[in-house]
Amino acid sequence: RRVEADSLPTRRNVVVILMESMSAHLMQTFGHETSLTPFLDSLWQQSLSFSHFYSSGIHTNHGMYSSLYSFPAMMKRNAMKGSVIPVYSGLPTVLKENGYHNMFFMTHESQYDNMNAFFRTNGLFEENYPADKVVNGFGVQDDFLFQYALPVLDRQAQSGQSFFSVLLTISNHPPYIIPPYFHPRSRTTEEQIVEYADWSIRNFMTEALKRPWADNTLFVLLG
C-alpha cells in the first residue's frame, strides 16, 4: 500500500528512548503502591500516551529489532545475529533516505548481540564511551549515557540537518548498580534502580527541553 503525502514533511527531529526492563506495573499510574517513577507518571499526564502498548519480546534485542524495524520478534532467536546480516526497511533506513542523520547511543560494547554490525547495516551509527566510565559488563550508567548524548545532539542540531537518535538505557538490568550520588527512597535494590532510571530520564528531558532544537523534536519513550 502506497501512501501519498498531502503536504510537505515537517522534518522534526526524533529522539527515541528505549527503557531497559521498564514496565507499566512499575508506574503509579498503573497501580504501583509507591511512587518509583514520578517523572514518567508526570509525562503520562501531558503527553500522547498509550495504555495498551505491549513489549515485543522477552529480550532487549527483541525490543530494539521490533520497535525500530516493525518486524515481530521470534522466541529464542536473535534476529540481529547471523553470518549474513539482513537489510530491513524501518525508521532508521527510511529517515536516512529522507536526509536524516542517524545516531544510536547504547551503554555497552558495540559488538554485544551483534548490534554494531546490524545497526550500521540498517541505517544507524553508534557512539562510544570513555573506559573509565564503565561500571559493569553492561557498560556505563544511564545518567552518563544521557550526559554524553546531549552535546552530540547539540552539535548535530547546529549543523541544520534533521536527526534521528535512539538511546538504549541499561541500568534496570541486573547486576544493579546504584551510583553513590543518587539517594533512593525505596528499600530494595530492584525498586531503587527503577527510581534511578526515572531520575536519569528526568535529568535528560529537563536539559533537552532547554535546547533550541527541542521545540522541533518528537521524544518517544517506550519500555
Side-chain angles (χ1 to χ4, degrees):
R1 183 166 70 97
R2 183 172 180 82
V3 178
E4 297 289 349
D6 60 3
S7 58
L8 295 175
T10 57
R11 302 197 65 81
R12 291 183 182 274
N13 305 310
V14 181
V15 175
V16 175
I17 302 176
L18 298 174
M19 299 177 289
E20 169 69 34
S21 298
M22 181 54 66
S23 177
H25 82 273
L26 297 170
M27 295 176 62
Q28 203 166 38
T29 299
F30 291 95
H32 198 280
E33 293 182 356
T34 57
S35 178
L36 301 179
T37 59
F39 182 68
L40 292 179
D41 285 314
S42 71
L43 281 185
W44 182 268
Q45 303 300 324
Q46 55 181 310
S47 305
L48 184 62
S49 307
F50 301 89
S51 59
H52 291 71
F53 192 96
Y54 297 93
S55 172
S56 52
I58 61 171
H59 294 294
T60 307
N61 65 75
H62 289 167
M64 292 187 294
Y65 167 77
S66 295
S67 299
L68 296 175
Y69 300 99
S70 303
F71 275 80
M74 288 163 276
M75 188 70 77
K76 298 182 179 179
R77 178 185 170 189
N78 182 349
M80 297 191 294
K81 282 187 173 180
S83 56
V84 178
I85 300 174
V87 178
Y88 293 96
S89 177
L91 282 171
T93 53
V94 170
L95 291 175
K96 184 179 179 182
E97 291 168 359
N98 282 271
Y100 276 66
H101 178 76
N102 293 346
M103 293 171 281
F104 177 58
F105 300 87
M106 61 181 177
T107 61
H108 46 67
E109 198 273 325
S110 63
Q111 294 303 327
Y112 185 80
D113 270 350
N114 201 41
M115 291 184 193
N116 189 36
F118 179 85
F119 285 135
R120 284 184 179 275
T121 301
N122 286 282
L124 281 172
F125 300 95
E126 179 232 350
E127 296 289 342
N128 295 312
Y129 307 101
D132 64 332
K133 296 298 182 180
V134 175
V135 295
N136 62 22
F138 286 109
V140 300
Q141 293 172 309
D142 288 359
D143 66 304
F144 182 80
L145 165 79
F146 291 127
Q147 290 171 18
Y148 183 95
L150 273 171
V152 179
L153 300 181
D154 288 339
R155 289 193 296 271
Q156 183 56 40
Q158 290 169 3
S159 75
Q161 182 183 14
S162 301
F163 61 81
F164 173 65
S165 176
V166 180
L167 296 98
L168 171 66
T169 71
I170 204 65
S171 289
N172 196 17
H173 186 299
Y176 305 125
I177 305 293
I178 308 291
Y181 47 81
F182 177 71
H183 306 290
R185 294 173 298 172
S186 303
R187 293 184 178 180
T188 67
T189 306
E190 289 79 8
E191 290 191 339
Q192 291 174 354
I193 202 68
V194 176
E195 289 186 63
Y196 166 69
D198 182 77
W199 174 82
S200 298
I201 291 175
R202 177 200 292 271
N203 289 346
F204 172 74
M205 291 296 295
T206 300
E207 289 302 314
L209 292 177
K210 296 176 183 177
R211 266 53 179 185
W213 48 264
D215 287 342
N216 191 45
T217 300
L218 179 66
F219 294 90
V220 184
L221 291 82
L222 65 158

